[in-house]
């Protein structure tokens, strides 16, 4: 009997959750990796749950399985003994419990969806989150069924000398016909989504870590032999993360080994399988010759993220997939904290918030909006979203702000201790935060749970009145919630970090008798007011410092107010935020003039942004080069598209370039001073200071390309020739290609010839071209898709071309004649037939359609309707249906 995927999609609701009727005490697995197919034998020891009815039915899940045999407590069963419909296998004869023995056959080589057990380039690998384990064997494949595991893998020794699974290796040996075996035992109960198996020919980098209690943990990173020299940074990052988690959260590692495997064919960035993390190669491999600063930082962050899951996700896991934010949001916050401690806290926060405001806010405002804890889903794979991860992290950060660092630590200690070895829900996390800090748990949970339940981004309106005669300022904040909520929205607890900026800098003010330079307010009602005394002059409000809450702010700031924040705010994040807001204002105003045909758009205009930046930039470039670099990185078109009612990519791009030119024109000399330092050509050092120096130099070259193209081209060519690391090479290549400078085509050819044997570097080569902001890039992308090195079965390569074009190149994607939409629709159809998860994520690029002009809307709708009329996976169909509306 063979089960099939692709059954009719069914909506799953949180309100329908029911606890499993049977608990699983132990799982024994035996894998025979046999070349063309794999046979999986399983022995599952079940016990009826105390709360289950006596007539309980044992329910397991299976998909794409050839069922060879089934036995219950030693007695073979026939097809008449069970029912099997769609993916659900049910057995009514389990009684009080017993042992279910099954044997199935699966075909890893044919598994192009990269979910379950698959084989790519000779390497066997698993990906079981969220619902992949049911493609390996019959199993209660749900996160609230936890079991200890013992796994034996048997394979050809020559082709698969390395056999890995979760936990500790307890036995190995040779068998007949050149085969060998290994048995792994994981003593910690875990759900099936955390299971992992890897088998193949891999090299290993070994090191160790001594825990706070003195235990020695073996650390191992497995990769292809050719990539072994690119693992040192990941190993150092892992050791740093282990130490940091002990110091910051009191979390000690609990197994004898911690393993990471780098895989080229992988849908996600990485997966936190217990003790055996499977990573996309892009999140493990790093070497100065082949990896940019951004790549190094990504490796450090992802290694830490997956390690931190050992407690916030593994030891304490999710009861059901509606609680996905419980592990992902909390862990993203933890990895952001870690990254801030490793390099620059300010830059980390700037980058996290810019990403959130650009992408998650747009998701919140579009057809794919959903609550951080959704009430329903069709395909859980479609809910691995920015809302779950990034907004979920912001909720954890607000709790940290509200409770303070010590209070949050008390709460996390309580959470880990109380729910260790259990499957938890969001309420458990919030309850721990309240109980550990002596708060009214019922009220606290009820109030903060609203952040998880209500979709959309709140808007906070600001009104302030200064009374000069008594030196008092009355601040009134009003919150409004998104209309996307299916129920009546409720007021949220919103932490507001606030400072006052006067003509000479920060002002000290008094609130309720407490005098300080900064105050923490909590907006809990629809409208609240506060009175500040000792306000000696009319101030500019420095609101939501360090982005203390994920909200949109509606405030009457004049250009001069924002310029004053840029010049004088002591909070570096808010200096950048003010520059971002002022840049957005000027770009949108100019774009509207372009759209309306206003002749003023063709005449030079004064820029408050340019004047403010000109006043501070040279000093910043010397004292805080990382912030200086960020000041010149104006809002992207993707961000700007979320700020307008009607999205005109051409007008916005033209306006953005005009404003940027106004900003950099007065800085030409300062840009030259920065470039003269030649920090980019110094030997590679991974540190906050070195990264900042390189980033400001890259931004300076990008600016110079707009002012003196010949000089910029010469510098870029020099960097390419003398580059001691990939950060220099990639910055130079991007400048040449994106600005169409002389020598760009030759540089691309030389870069390809040099790096064509390095897959991750070649991904950068593809991405640089696919993201070039010119209308003709569509034709270039079509040529790239036909390139001999484009492999549509490799998710990284697909993202480098299709993903970059659709998501990071609005100018070319939104071609006025709809050709960009047609190109992506054609590719989506082909990708969906192989890899539904990847196709579904790429399909989100069409979500902007309702903001476009009527002509572009018609083009997109034609493509959407064409796709939806065809044969699609449930993953992609759900995404496109929600987009189409």
């Amino acid at each position: 009997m063979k089960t099939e995927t692709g059954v009719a999609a069914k909506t799953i609701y949180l309100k329908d959750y029911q606890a499993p009727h049977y608990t699983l005490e132990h799982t024994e697995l035996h894998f025979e990796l046999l070349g063309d197919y794999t046979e999986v034998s399983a022995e599952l020891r079940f016990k009826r749950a105390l709360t289950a009815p006596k007539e309980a039915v044992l329910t397991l899940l299976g998909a794409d399985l050839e069922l060879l045999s089934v036995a219950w407590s030693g007695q073979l069963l026939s097809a008449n003994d069970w029912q099997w419909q769609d993916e659900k296998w049910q057995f009514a004869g389990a009684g009080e419990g017993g042992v279910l023995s099954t044997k199935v056959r699966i075909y890893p080589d044919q598994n192009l969806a990269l979910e379950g057990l698959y084989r790519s380039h000779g390497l066997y690998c698993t990906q079981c989150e969220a619902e992949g384990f049911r493609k390996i064997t019959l199993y209660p494949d749900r996160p609230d069924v936890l079991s200890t595991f013992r796994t034996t893998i048997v394979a050809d020794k020559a082709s698969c000398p390395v056999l890995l699974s979760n936990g500790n290796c307890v036995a190995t040996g040779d068998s007949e016909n050149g085969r060998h075996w290994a048995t792994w035992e994981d003593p910690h109960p875990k759900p099936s989504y955390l299971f992992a198996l890897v088998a193949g020919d891999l090299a290993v980098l070994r090191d160790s870590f001594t825990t706070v209690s003195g235990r020695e943990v073996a650390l191992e990173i497995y990769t292809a032999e050719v990539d072994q020299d690119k693992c040192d940074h990941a190993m150092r990052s892992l050791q740093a993360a282990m130490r940091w988690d002990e110091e910051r959260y009191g979390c000690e590692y609990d197994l004898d080994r911690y393993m990471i495997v780098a895989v080229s064919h992988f849908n996600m960035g990485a997966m936190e399988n217990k003790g055996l993390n499977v990573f996309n190669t892009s999140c493990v491999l790093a070497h100065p010759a082949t990896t940019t600063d951004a790549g190094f930082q990504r490796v450090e962050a992802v290694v830490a993220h997956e390690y931190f899951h050992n407690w916030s996700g593994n030891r304490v896991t999710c009861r059901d997939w509606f609680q996905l934010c419980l592990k992902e949001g909390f862990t993203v916050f933890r990895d952001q904290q870690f990254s801030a401690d490793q390099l620059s806290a300010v830059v980390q926060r700037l980058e996290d918030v810019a990403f959130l405001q650009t992408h998650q806010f747009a998701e919140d405002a579009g057809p794919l909006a959903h609550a951080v804890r959704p009430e329903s889903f069709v395909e859980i794979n479609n809910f691995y979203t920015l809302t779950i991860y990034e907004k979920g992290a912001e909720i954890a950060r607000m709790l940290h702000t509200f409770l303070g660092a010590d209070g949050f630590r008390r709460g996390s200690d309580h959470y880990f201790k109380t729910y260790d070895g259990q499957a938890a829900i969001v309420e458990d996390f919030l309850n721990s935060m309240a109980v550990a800090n002596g708060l009214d748990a019922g009220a606290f949970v009820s109030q903060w749970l609203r952040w998880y339940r209500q979709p959309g981004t709140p808007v906070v309106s600001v009104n302030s009145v200064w009374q000069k005669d008594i030196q008092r300022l009355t601040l009134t904040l009003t919150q409004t919630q998104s209309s996307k909520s299916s129920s009546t929205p409720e007021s949220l607890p919103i932490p507001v970090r606030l400072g006052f900026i006067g003509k000479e800098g920060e002002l000290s003010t008094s609130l309720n008798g407490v005098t300080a330079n900064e105050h923490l307010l909590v907006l809990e009602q629809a409208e609240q007011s506060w009175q500040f005394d000792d306000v000696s002059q009319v101030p500019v409000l420095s609101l939501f410092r360090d982005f203390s809450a994920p909200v949109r702010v509606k405030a009457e700031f004049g250009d001069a107010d924002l310029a004053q924040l840029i010049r004088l705010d002591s909070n570096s994040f808010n200096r950048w935020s003010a520059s971002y807001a002022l840049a957005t204002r000027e770009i949108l105003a100019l774009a509207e003039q372009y759209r309306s045909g206003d002749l003023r758009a063709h005449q030079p205009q004064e820029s408050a942004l340019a004047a403010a930046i000109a006043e501070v930039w040279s000093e910043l470039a010397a004292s805080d080069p990382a912030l200086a670099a960020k000041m010149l990185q104006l809002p992207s078109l993707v961000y700007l598209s979320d700020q307008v009612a009607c999205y005109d990519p051409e007008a916005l791009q033209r306006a953005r370039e005009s404003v940027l030119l106004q900003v950099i024109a007065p800085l030409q000399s300062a840009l030259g001073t920065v470039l003269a330092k030649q920090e980019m050509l110094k030997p590679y050092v991974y540190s906050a200071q070195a990264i900042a120096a390189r980033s400001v130099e890259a931004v300076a070259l990008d600016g110079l390309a707009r002012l003196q193209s010949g000089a910029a081209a010469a510098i870029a060519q020099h960097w390419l020739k003398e580059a001691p690391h990939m950060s220099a090479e990639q910055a130079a290549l991007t400048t040449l290609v994106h600005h169409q400078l002389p020598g760009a085509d030759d540089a691309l050819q030389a870069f390809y010839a040099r790096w064509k044997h390095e897959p991750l570097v070649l991904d950068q080569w593809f991405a640089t071209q696919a993201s070039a902001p010119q209308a003709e890039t569509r034709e270039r992308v079509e040529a790239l898709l036909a390139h001999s090195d484009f492999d549509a079965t490799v998710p990284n390569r697909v993202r480098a071309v299709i993903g970059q074009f659709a998501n990071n190149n609005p100018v070319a994607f939104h071609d006025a004649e709809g050709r960009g939409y047609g190109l992506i629709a054609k590719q989506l159809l082909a990708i969906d037939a192989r890899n539904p998860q990847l196709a579904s994520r790429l399909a989100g690029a069409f979500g902007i359609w309702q903001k476009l002009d009527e002509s572009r809307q018609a083009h997109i709708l034609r493509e959407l309707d064409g796709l939806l009329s065809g044969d699609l996976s449930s993953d992609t169909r759900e995404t496109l249906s929600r987009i189409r509306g």
Side-chain angles (χ1 to χ4, degrees):
M1 180 180 296
K2 187 174 189 297
T3 65
E4 299 287 349
T5 54
V7 298
K10 178 183 178 182
T11 302
I12 310 298
Y13 295 93
L14 172 60
K15 63 181 177 61
D16 293 336
Y17 171 82
Q18 291 184 342
H21 287 163
Y22 286 86
T23 59
L24 184 52
E25 296 180 321
H26 183 66
T27 297
E28 192 91 17
L29 299 173
H30 185 98
F31 289 81
E32 286 281 350
L33 308 181
L34 295 165
D36 293 339
Y37 60 89
T38 292
E39 289 185 352
V40 184
S41 300
E43 288 193 358
L44 312 177
R45 188 166 69 240
F46 287 101
K47 184 178 181 181
R48 187 170 66 85
L50 294 176
T51 57
K54 289 187 177 181
E55 63 275 14
V57 173
L58 175 64
T59 299
L60 307 183
L61 296 157
D64 293 344
L65 307 175
E66 287 186 15
L67 186 58
L68 304 179
S69 66
V70 184
W72 178 256
S73 295
Q75 297 297 313
L76 286 175
L77 303 180
S78 69
N80 295 325
D81 295 318
W82 69 77
Q83 291 185 338
W84 201 342
Q85 183 177 10
D86 299 333
E87 294 184 359
K88 188 177 292 186
W89 184 93
Q90 293 185 312
F91 175 54
E96 293 299 310
V99 176
L100 181 73
S101 303
T102 63
K103 188 174 184 178
V104 303
R105 180 174 293 166
I106 56 178
Y107 296 85
D109 283 16
Q110 300 174 23
N111 185 357
L112 299 180
L114 311 184
E115 185 180 28
L117 175 65
Y118 61 92
R119 183 165 69 162
S120 177
H121 294 279
L123 182 70
Y124 288 91
C125 183
T126 57
Q127 171 53 36
C128 296
E129 187 178 354
E131 297 178 340
F133 196 80
R134 66 192 61 183
K135 295 185 175 183
I136 294 175
T137 190
L138 275 178
Y139 203 82
D141 186 18
R142 46 189 290 173
D144 57 349
V145 176
L146 281 67
S147 169
T148 56
F149 276 70
R150 184 180 175 92
T151 303
T152 297
I153 311 163
V154 185
D156 176 69
K157 191 171 185 178
S159 60
C160 294
V162 174
L163 306 175
L164 306 176
S165 191
N166 308 86
N168 301 313
C169 188
V170 295
T172 61
D174 293 328
S175 52
E176 297 177 350
N177 302 318
R179 295 171 68 75
H180 70 140
W181 57 271
T183 297
W184 293 79
E185 195 168 76
D186 188 351
H188 300 286
K190 67 173 181 285
S192 56
Y193 84 87
L194 292 173
F195 174 80
L197 179 153
V198 173
D201 189 2
L202 295 166
V204 59
L205 173 67
R206 290 187 168 90
D207 209 321
S208 65
F209 178 81
T210 304
T211 71
V212 67
S213 67
R215 290 189 306 104
E216 192 83 0
V217 178
L219 307 180
E220 299 169 347
I221 300 180
Y222 291 86
T223 66
E225 178 72 39
V226 69
D227 291 325
Q228 271 295 284
D229 65 333
K230 305 180 186 73
C231 295
D232 289 340
H233 179 65
M235 183 64 80
R236 291 194 299 270
S237 299
L238 174 58
Q239 292 165 327
M242 296 177 82
R243 181 65 65 208
W244 185 91
D245 210 19
E246 289 180 342
E247 295 173 350
R248 183 64 73 92
Y249 282 91
C251 292
E252 182 178 354
Y253 188 61
D254 51 7
L255 290 168
D256 298 334
R257 301 169 74 159
Y258 188 89
M259 299 168 285
I260 290 174
V261 180
V263 180
S264 59
H265 288 58
F266 202 64
N267 283 334
M268 300 183 179
M271 178 59 208
E272 71 267 19
N273 320 293
K274 182 67 177 179
L276 177 58
N277 290 182
V278 179
F279 274 56
N280 191 309
T281 49
S282 66
C283 297
V284 174
L285 307 181
H287 188 282
T290 56
T291 312
T292 64
D293 286 330
F296 270 89
Q297 290 172 282
R298 186 181 186 216
V299 167
E300 184 176 66
V302 176
V303 166
H305 179 94
E306 304 309 332
Y307 175 75
F308 296 153
H309 265 314
N310 188 63
W311 279 89
S312 52
N314 295 3
R315 289 288 290 262
V316 182
T317 195
C318 299
R319 187 196 71 178
D320 53 72
W321 290 120
F322 295 99
Q323 320 296 329
L324 183 59
C325 61
L326 179 62
K327 74 181 185 76
E328 295 300 347
F330 184 22
T331 304
V332 168
F333 171 60
R334 276 153 48 75
D335 82 54
Q336 289 175 351
Q337 287 182 299
F338 169 78
S339 295
D341 286 349
Q342 302 311 299
L343 294 172
S344 166
V346 171
V347 172
Q348 180 67 35
R349 192 61 183 144
L350 292 180
E351 292 176 347
D352 291 339
V353 171
F355 184 78
L356 181 90
Q357 291 180 324
T358 299
H359 300 288
Q360 194 281 320
F361 275 21
E363 184 172 275
D364 249 353
L368 299 179
H370 62 87
V372 175
R373 186 173 72 178
E375 296 296 322
S376 66
F377 63 78
V378 174
E379 287 291 344
I380 185 56
N381 289 326
N382 286 336
F383 279 89
Y384 283 75
T385 64
L386 298 175
T387 297
I388 298 293
Y389 282 70
E390 307 301 327
K391 189 173 181 180
E394 291 301 317
I395 298 175
R397 185 179 295 274
M398 284 190 292
L399 289 166
H400 187 275
T401 299
F402 178 77
L403 297 170
D406 292 341
F408 190 83
R409 170 63 189 272
R410 285 192 294 271
S412 66
D413 284 351
H414 186 280
Y415 174 67
F416 290 139
K417 181 179 180 180
T418 304
Y419 299 101
D420 186 12
Q422 299 183 44
I425 60 176
V426 168
E427 285 87 342
D428 298 329
F429 177 68
L430 294 175
N431 186 73
S432 289
M433 291 291 163
V435 170
N437 286 283
L439 303 175
D440 181 334
F444 185 89
V445 172
S446 175
Q447 188 179 40
W448 283 93
L449 195 60
R450 297 169 192 168
W451 273 105
Y452 292 92
R453 287 177 170 168
Q454 294 182 182
T457 306
V459 175
V460 175
S461 300
V462 182
N463 181 63
S464 63
V465 177
W466 179 57
Q467 296 171 272
K468 181 179 181 180
D469 54 339
I470 58 174
Q471 296 191 347
R472 172 175 292 169
L473 183 139
T474 301
L475 173 67
T476 301
L477 301 179
T478 306
Q479 60 170 299
T480 54
Q481 309 306 320
S482 170
S483 60
K484 293 181 178 294
S485 179
S486 57
S487 57
T488 303
E490 297 179 275
S491 295
L492 303 168
I494 300 177
V496 184
R497 285 182 56 199
L498 172 68
F500 296 86
I501 308 302
K503 295 179 181 179
E504 303 299 326
E506 196 161 54
L507 300 176
S508 180
T509 61
S510 178
L511 175 65
N512 298 326
V514 178
T515 300
N517 291 334
E518 179 179 284
H519 302 276
L520 176 62
L521 316 178
V522 180
L523 174 62
E524 299 175 300
Q525 303 168 15
E527 182 174 296
Q528 284 176 250
S529 296
W530 294 264
Q531 289 186 336
F532 298 87
D533 293 315
D534 304 322
V535 185
S536 58
Q537 57 184 279
V538 58
V540 178
L541 302 180
S542 177
L543 289 159
F544 291 95
R545 287 183 154 187
D546 293 327
F547 202 65
S548 57
V551 301
R552 298 179 190 266
V553 180
K554 186 177 180 180
E556 297 298 327
F557 284 117
D559 290 357
D561 296 328
L562 293 172
Q564 187 168 322
L565 293 175
I566 294 171
R567 293 194 306 268
L568 299 172
D569 201 332
S570 61
N571 186 273
S572 294
F573 174 89
N574 277 30
R575 294 183 75 181
W576 166 82
S577 183
S579 73
Y580 220 61
L582 190 49
T584 299
R585 178 179 297 178
E586 294 187 0
I587 293 169
L588 295 186
L590 189 56
E592 185 55 35
Q593 291 178 23
Y594 284 134
R595 278 174 44 79
S596 65
D598 192 331
L599 294 179
R600 290 177 301 166
H602 303 280
Q603 301 172 358
Q605 301 177 48
E606 288 189 10
S607 167
L609 176 68
I613 290 180
E615 186 175 333
V616 302
W617 199 81
S618 292
E619 184 276 328
L620 271 182
S623 64
D624 193 348
L627 181 58
K630 295 297 181 184
M631 287 284 193
L632 297 190
Q633 293 173 343
L634 301 194
S636 68
L637 261 63
V638 177
Y639 173 84
L640 294 167
S641 69
D642 188 43
Q643 313 302 312
V644 295
C646 183
Y647 178 32
D648 185 334
E650 294 171 346
L652 279 174
Q653 172 72 357
R654 188 178 174 189
R656 183 182 184 278
E657 284 296 310
S658 179
V659 171
L660 182 54
L661 190 60
Q662 285 182 288
V663 169
I664 63 174
L667 303 178
Q668 183 167 332
S669 175
L671 298 179
T673 299
V674 167
L675 290 166
K677 294 179 180 180
Q678 299 194 70
E679 296 286 343
M680 195 67 86
L681 298 183
K682 293 180 179 179
Y684 191 82
V685 175
Y686 184 70
S687 69
Q689 182 178 5
I691 291 172
R694 289 190 290 268
S695 68
V696 75
E697 203 160 291
V699 167
L701 180 62
D702 182 75
L704 187 65
R706 292 171 166 83
L707 301 173
Q708 292 182 300
S709 59
I715 292 173
Q717 295 288 3
H718 180 62
W719 284 8
L720 283 173
K721 181 180 178 181
E722 303 295 334
H725 47 72
M726 183 52 66
S727 294
E729 278 199 66
Q730 185 60 50
L733 185 69
T734 300
T735 299
L736 290 168
V737 173
H738 284 204
H739 291 285
Q740 299 180 296
L741 298 181
D745 289 339
D746 289 342
L748 282 169
Q749 291 177 15
F751 191 95
Y752 172 78
R754 181 177 180 185
W755 295 113
K756 61 183 178 181
H757 300 303
E758 286 281 351
L760 295 180
V761 181
L762 201 56
D763 286 342
Q764 295 174 209
W765 181 80
F766 276 101
T768 300
Q769 297 174 78
S771 60
Q774 294 107 31
E776 58 269 24
T777 297
R778 180 186 57 81
E779 289 86 353
R780 187 189 289 266
V781 167
E782 290 178 337
L784 292 174
L785 292 172
H787 195 281
S788 60
D789 284 307
F790 180 78
D791 185 346
T793 69
V794 181
N796 284 349
R797 191 60 45 87
V798 172
R799 286 187 282 260
V801 180
I802 300 301
Q804 284 291 322
F805 177 75
N807 296 308
N808 292 325
N809 196 342
V811 172
F813 176 55
H814 294 292
D815 169 78
E817 297 180 14
R819 293 171 295 186
Y821 308 142
L823 185 156
I824 295 302
K826 179 180 178 182
Q827 293 301 315
L828 277 180
L829 198 59
I831 295 166
D832 185 61
R834 296 184 298 268
N835 191 330
Q837 284 190 40
L838 181 60
S840 179
R841 291 187 175 99
L842 293 171
F846 287 123
I848 193 71
W849 74 269
Q850 291 179 325
K851 282 198 169 187
L852 296 166
D853 60 78
E854 291 185 2
S855 176
R856 287 186 172 92
Q857 285 189 15
H859 290 313
I860 283 192
L861 290 176
R862 183 177 64 248
E863 300 299 343
L864 287 175
D865 291 341
L867 286 167
L868 287 167
S869 68
D871 185 17
L872 294 173
S873 68
S874 57
D875 301 65
T876 304
R877 182 170 297 280
E878 181 190 19
T879 297
L880 292 176
S881 296
R882 292 172 63 200
I883 288 173
R884 180 63 174 89

